[in-house]
Amino acid sequence: MGILETIKDPLDLKNLAAGDLPELAMEIRDLLVSAVARTGGHLGPNLGVVELTIALHRVFDSPRDRILFDTGHQTYVHKMLTGRAGDFGTLRQEGGLSGYPSQAESEHDVIENSHASTALSYADGLAKAFTLRGETDRTAVAVIGDGALTGGMAWEALNNIAARKDLPLIIVVNDNGRSYSPTIGGLASHLSTLRMTQRYEQALELVKNNLGRVPVVGAPLYETLHGVKKGLKDIFTPQVMFEDLGLKYVGPIDGHDEPAVEAALRRARAYRGPVIVHVLTHKGHGYAHAENHDEDCFHSPQPFDVETGEERARPHSWTNVFSEEMVKIGAQREDVVAITAAMLHPVGLAAFADAYPQRIYDVGIAEQHALTSAAGLALGGLHPVVAIYATFLNRAFDQLLMDVALHRLPVTVVLDRAGVTGDDGPSHNGMWDLSMLQVIPGLSIAVPRDAVRLRELLAESVAVEGGPSVVRFPKGALPREIEAVGHLGGMDVLRAGDPDVLLVAVGPMADICMDAATLLDAQGISATVVDPRWAKPLDEALVLAAAAHKLVVVVEDGGRSGGVGDAVARMLRDADVDVPVRTYGIPQRFLDHAKRQKILAEIGLTGQDLAREITEAVAKRSPVLERHPARQPQ
């Protein structure tokens, strides 16, 4: 039996001898590599936090002490050390372990986050609650890294945390960007220890008070002595930024030296006030293929071969098409620039960056800044394309509304991973954008159904000059291409039928709607299928088309509340078209992780489900259908 198999709870970890920890770390890395090779997931960040996570659970008493990870994708080792190692083969599989913290899985998981830069605010609130409730033996620990400190919300939290000297709060900065060199040696260790003792602070305060009573030279002398002390420390540690905020600082510490990390955390915990513990880690540490992976150290690979590190071939995807088309647009228009929020490769802008290195801006994990910076670029005469995951647009809604749309600026926002994304769980499903964006004046929303339409609509979108535009598409492989058989205004008619049902297929739902229409034929119901192409503003031709049918059905890959279906119903009401409208989309709840197709089936977004629902709806309005041969019992 390996050591990891004996760890059912953090208490088991505390009882291990220090000499057993290197072997434990090796077993954890072996399991990380073998499991993620099968399922895909965030490998590089977790290989980098093995010793750090071991130290955290040896020093703190989870779940009484609350350990929060920012971002949540660096919690695989935490899951193993809190009793879930035996289930790790189910990672990101339906019914298995989530790729992020999950309260349903364990009392040790505090926040179910995959959106960065939030943990410090959570920890601030938790530490304040501990203080107010007199729970003096509890500590809030925020582990922030992998770029999360680039988010503005993290700095808002730091500003507030620094104002409270009594908060039992430890901030572990997991620095895997190699910005600093490790600080080692006896003097550096002594200075770190000295800063973390209350005696040092008391002595400093005593000197300050006594020198302050000495006329003329007292205050200047104190400032000189304090400056010398600070200058000495700055020779050894890059702490100025944090200490200028008023936060105590320890580090930098070699994050792969478990005893050193453990010692630093114990000093920080004993201080009983806000402390920054700065650890240096390496993404992919301990697995050569990850360490040597130039792009992102296997940040989030597809399933791969353990021996060679070669990832399973990926099918040509929506993101690939966007990437190719952006390079073409960049060649045609020198005013087009691109912005990414720490997602250069995932959103498909790496090729654009290679082709036009002066026209790409990576702002870090800062979606709010990305949108308002785009507004500034547009004010300067350029046409920015901001490419982010759909779920992260939630964070920049106000900027899109007030900084971009209010000024009617030509900014194109491209939303990757829109709709159901599947494996990454509830926080990653991009199901909110079509509801949120409906309320923004002057905004246009394009929803392509296939690769051809993505190319067309992206070109049309960057041609919009009177206000912002959005292009959204899902994650994964491309669907089959469906050519139009006709047009209604700017809409594509994909299937012409008799005036029974008008099926409004929003973007990638077109394939499902075509399947449903075929099944409806067998029930004696004729369906016309149209793709609006632009979900906002809706084409006026939709009013005349709806008026000619007995039932309108809108199918969308977004939340049902406030989405395209509601916009269609409102449009018809305003035009006094009294035809019933049924909307099918994603229910307004957080979806568990599973494959996209499985989730779509569970929520009734398949051709068969739609055909059954529509048949029943039409039958209620047309009794003659009840006598149709296909509806008679056999």
Side-chain angles (χ1 to χ4, degrees), residues 599-622:
I599 293 176
L600 291 177
E602 287 180 351
I603 61 179
L605 288 182
T606 68
Q608 188 170 9
D609 290 324
L610 291 173
R612 182 176 60 253
E613 292 270 346
I614 294 168
T615 299
E616 293 174 358
V618 172
K620 292 176 182 176
R621 293 168 176 81
S622 181

Side-chain angles (χ1 to χ4, degrees), residues 97-109:
L97 293 181
S98 168
Y100 294 93
S102 170
Q103 292 178 347
E105 284 181 17
S106 173
E107 61 180 345
H108 298 280
D109 290 3

Side-chain angles (χ1 to χ4, degrees), residues 461-501:
S461 185
V462 296
V464 173
E465 293 298 331
S469 57
V470 170
V471 180
R472 76 184 302 266
F473 50 81
K475 176 183 179 181
L478 290 157
R480 67 186 177 103
E481 293 177 5
I482 304 174
E483 294 302 326
V485 297
H487 301 281
L488 282 172
M491 300 187 298
D492 284 349
V493 179
L494 307 183
R495 190 181 194 275
D498 295 331
D500 287 335
V501 177

Side-chain angles (χ1 to χ4, degrees), residues 408-476:
R408 298 177 296 281
L409 294 171
V411 173
T412 296
V413 181
V414 174
L415 301 180
D416 201 328
R417 273 72 163 173
V420 172
T421 56
D423 297 338
D424 286 325
S427 62
H428 260 54
N429 288 312
M431 59 177 284
W432 317 105
D433 58 300
L434 287 176
S435 300
M436 292 191 307
L437 296 176
Q438 288 292 335
V439 304
I440 297 182
L443 174 74
S444 303
I445 307 173
V447 190
R449 67 179 178 268
D450 54 30
V452 172
R453 262 44 64 172
L454 174 52
R455 294 188 178 96
E456 291 174 355
L457 289 169
L458 182 60
E460 291 177 29
S461 185
V462 296
V464 173
E465 293 298 331
S469 57
V470 170
V471 180
R472 76 184 302 266
F473 50 81
K475 176 183 179 181

Side-chain angles (χ1 to χ4, degrees), residues 438 535-536 538 542 556 562-572 583:
Q438 288 292 335
K536 183 180 186 296
L538 291 166
L542 188 59
E556 58 188 299
V564 182
D566 284 356
V568 169
R570 183 173 62 254
M571 183 186 202
L572 298 184
T583 299

